[in-house]
């Protein structure tokens, strides 16, 4: 399997709340929500492209449309954005695109240059209304960048993480930003960026190698999912955001490498009250 190793060699070579009424009963009660992602490698020879699958059974994904190699992608306020790349030694950024998630039609918005960041995962923060992505620099460090949706350029370095090798990023609906990666050790952890942009270690996760992968929240349930890829296998995990522990849900295709994980949901219009929680009824 020709996975793309995101190591030194591989690279050198909301302001709004959601309302329950926005979803059908089937969507709310589903134990296996549908998801989307770009399959860029697979041992059984599946086409590169956009696929859809249940989160608890990603072993046999359904092809939406053949496409290009996508290093990162996410839905951001109604538009799905994807960063493509050119395979080779080294792999280089290619273009910034929008994608019709229902048909897989990709529309180029801007060309990248060889000096453009190679985004390896992205997320949209509905609390801050910002699109974030991570990319590597100096062969051992990571930048968390605010991305301009118009052309994929870096608007701001949101957090600089020297000597940290991050592979996935996801923001909860409340604006909590989580990352998976490692420091100078082979141990992979779940991390959280606090409001002061300090990196906090949450806990150890399943050990993986440096291959392209992706994370996303199911914003209807608050659960974090991770399409993790290693040299030997690929699985969809549910990640406990309290301690980093992982529950293995399903293989990802046939040792597949999945980017741009997206779990659909419908944010409510501005001004919609948040769903009530933690309430009780007093005895009369």
């Amino acid at each position: 399997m020709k996975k793309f190793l995101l190591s030194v060699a591989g690279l050198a070579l909301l302001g709004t709340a959601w309302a329950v009424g926005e979803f059908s009963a089937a969507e709310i009660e589903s134990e296996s929500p549908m998801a989307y992602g770009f399959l860029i490698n697979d041992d059984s020879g599946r086409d590169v492209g956009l696929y859809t699958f249940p989160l608890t059974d990603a072993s046999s994904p359904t092809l939406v449309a053949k496409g290009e190699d996508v290093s990162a992608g996410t839905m951001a306020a109604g538009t799905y954005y994807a960063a493509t790349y050119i395979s080779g030694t080294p792999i280089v950024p290619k273009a910034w695109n929008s994608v019709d998630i229902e048909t897989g039609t990709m529309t180029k918005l801007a060309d990248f240059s060889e000096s453009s960041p190679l985004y390896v995962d992205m997320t949209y923060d509905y609390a801050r209304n910002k699109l974030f992505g991570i990319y590597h620099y100096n062969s051992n460090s990571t930048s968390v960048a605010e991305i301009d949706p118009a052309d994929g350029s870096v608007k701001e370095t949101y957090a600089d993480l020297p000597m940290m090798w991050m592979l996935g990023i996801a923001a909860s609906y409340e604006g909590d930003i989580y990352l998976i990666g490692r420091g100078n050790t082979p141990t992979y952890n779940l991390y959280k960026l606090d409001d002061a942009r300090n990196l906090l270690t949450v806990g150890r996760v399943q050990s993986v190698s440096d291959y392209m992968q992706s994370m996303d929240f199911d914003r209807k349930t608050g659960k974090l999912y991770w399409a993790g890829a290693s040299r030997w296998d690929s699985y969809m995990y549910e990640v406990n955001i309290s301690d980093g522990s992982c529950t293995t849900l399903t293989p990802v295709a046939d040792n597949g490498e999945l980017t741009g994980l997206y779990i659909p949901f419908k944010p409510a219009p501005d001004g919609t009250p948040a769903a009530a929680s933690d309430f009780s009824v007093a005895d009369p």
Side-chain angles (χ1 to χ4, degrees):
M1 179 179 184
K2 189 180 178 183
K3 286 186 175 177
F4 287 93
L5 184 67
L6 292 177
S7 63
V8 175
L11 289 178
L13 307 147
L14 267 172
T16 60
W18 66 267
V20 172
E22 288 290 303
F23 305 95
S24 68
E27 287 178 302
I28 295 169
E29 296 173 2
S30 172
E31 295 181 357
S32 182
M34 298 299 292
Y36 292 84
F38 283 88
L39 195 63
I40 58 175
N41 279 296
D42 173 79
D43 279 352
S44 63
R46 287 183 174 89
D47 292 315
V48 170
L50 178 66
Y51 287 78
T52 185
F53 49 88
L55 275 172
T56 56
D57 186 10
S59 60
S60 300
T62 299
L63 179 66
V64 177
K66 297 180 183 180
E68 300 185 51
D69 290 318
V70 169
S71 65
T74 195
M75 183 69 74
T79 301
Y80 187 97
Y81 296 100
T84 55
Y85 65 93
I86 301 171
S87 300
T89 307
I91 59 175
V92 295
K94 181 180 180 181
W96 181 250
N97 313 270
S98 64
V99 180
D100 184 325
I101 205 71
E102 298 299 327
T103 66
T105 302
M106 184 176 289
T107 303
K108 185 170 68 174
L109 303 177
D111 287 312
F112 284 146
S113 67
E114 291 188 5
S115 61
S116 298
L118 178 66
Y119 298 118
V120 296
D121 202 15
M122 300 192 305
T123 189
Y124 188 72
D125 184 344
Y126 285 86
R128 298 176 179 86
N129 294 317
K130 294 180 182 291
L131 176 61
F132 292 115
I134 53 174
Y135 66 90
H136 300 137
Y137 69 94
N138 289 348
S139 302
N140 62 359
S141 301
T142 302
S143 179
V144 180
E146 181 188 349
I147 301 172
D148 187 340
D151 60 8
S153 62
V154 175
K155 292 180 68 175
E156 176 194 8
T157 298
Y158 183 79
D160 181 43
L161 306 176
M163 306 301 291
M164 299 298 298
W165 194 255
M166 297 301 176
L167 299 173
I169 184 171
S172 71
Y173 202 82
E174 295 74 26
D176 294 323
I177 299 174
Y178 293 87
L179 303 103
I180 282 179
R182 60 177 173 80
N184 290 324
T185 70
T187 300
Y188 285 80
N189 294 299
L190 179 68
Y191 299 92
K192 181 179 179 181
L193 279 176
D194 66 14
D195 290 339
R197 308 185 188 185
N198 298 309
L199 189 68
L200 310 176
T201 302
V202 176
R204 184 172 180 174
V205 299
Q206 185 85 10
S207 180
V208 295
S209 298
D210 293 338
Y211 291 96
M212 287 185 178
Q213 42 209 283
S214 188
M215 298 163 57
D216 196 21
F217 272 93
D218 180 350
R219 293 175 175 87
K220 292 177 286 187
T221 64
K223 294 180 179 180
L224 177 60
Y225 293 90
W226 169 36
S230 74
R231 182 183 303 274
W232 304 277
D233 50 37
S234 303
Y235 287 99
M236 186 70 67
Y237 302 97
E238 180 184 326
V239 183
N240 187 321
I241 60 174
S242 297
D243 61 11
S245 59
C246 297
T247 301
T248 303
L249 300 178
T250 172
V252 175
D254 186 5
N255 197 16
E257 199 171 0
L258 189 82
T259 61
L261 179 63
Y262 165 55
I263 305 169
F265 86 116
K266 300 175 184 177
D270 290 341
T272 303
S277 62
D278 298 328
F279 65 89
S280 61
V281 178
D283 292 332

